[in-house]
Amino acid sequence: MKSVDGEFEFDDDPGRVDLDALWEVLSTQVYWGKWRTRDHVRRQVASAWRVVGVYETASGRMVGFARAVSDGVALAYLADVYVLPDLRGKGLGTRLVEVMVDGGPGADFRWMLHTANAHGLYAKFGFAPPDPSYLERPRRERSSAGTP
């Protein structure tokens, strides 16, 4: 699926993802990605159920990204959503989430995500605090010996 919105393209082709650009953003610009290695990011993209990149039509430069993990039937987790700072405020984040959540094969899924910001953006797509049936086991930090 490729969608062109004026000067930007939204594309779910995982082969088009600029892993160097993605690594740069995740390792230096966002609070949630700094713990990952370059290999973690490569493996996460390779094993993702779906990815959507935002690309400048003229240059092909990747300026936004979102990744989803899913069982492919009923449940999906939205991760690594970003738009480069100099392009925020143009509606790209809203369009990116729309393409990922409502515009693809998971439109009827139960979607989840973790975020400390942009709650207003995600609320537009039905994201809300979890219901009382939701439990979570946060990621555990491992010791240098590799044991919890």
Side-chain angles (χ1 to χ4, degrees):
M1 179 277 327
K2 184 173 168 181
S3 163
V4 180
D5 290 357
E7 61 185 293
F8 299 98
E9 299 175 10
F10 297 80
D11 194 349
D12 65 355
D13 177 0
R16 191 173 178 190
V17 172
D18 182 339
L19 290 173
D20 291 331
L22 179 60
W23 165 250
E24 172 66 23
V25 170
L26 293 181
S27 66
T28 65
Q29 297 181 32
V30 298
Y31 68 88
W32 69 86
K34 293 180 180 178
W35 63 269
R36 293 182 237 178
T37 66
R38 184 182 294 266
D39 187 56
H40 287 149
V41 172
R42 180 193 59 77
R43 289 173 30 212
Q44 286 175 320
V45 170
S47 67
W49 171 71
R50 188 167 187 238
V51 296
V52 175
V54 183
Y55 304 90
E56 287 179 326
T57 304
S59 68
R61 176 177 76 128
M62 190 171 84
V63 300
F65 179 80
R67 175 175 65 90
V69 178
S70 176
D71 63 5
V73 177
L75 184 70
Y77 182 85
L78 181 61
D80 297 334
V81 178
Y82 77 84
V83 171
L84 293 179
D86 61 319
L87 293 169
R88 293 180 187 153
K90 296 178 177 272
L92 294 175
T94 299
R95 181 74 176 119
L96 176 58
V97 174
E98 178 184 38
V99 169
M100 175 62 87
V101 174
D102 287 339
D108 295 329
F109 290 4
R110 178 179 183 172
W111 283 85
M112 300 171 289
L113 74 103
H114 289 91
T115 187
N117 54 24
H119 293 111
L121 165 67
Y122 298 113
K124 294 177 189 177
F125 299 95
F127 287 91
D131 64 42
S133 69
Y134 183 82
L135 299 175
E136 173 187 4
R137 178 183 162 201
R139 179 177 183 266
R140 289 195 282 184
E141 296 296 323
R142 296 193 178 265
S143 71
S144 60
T147 57

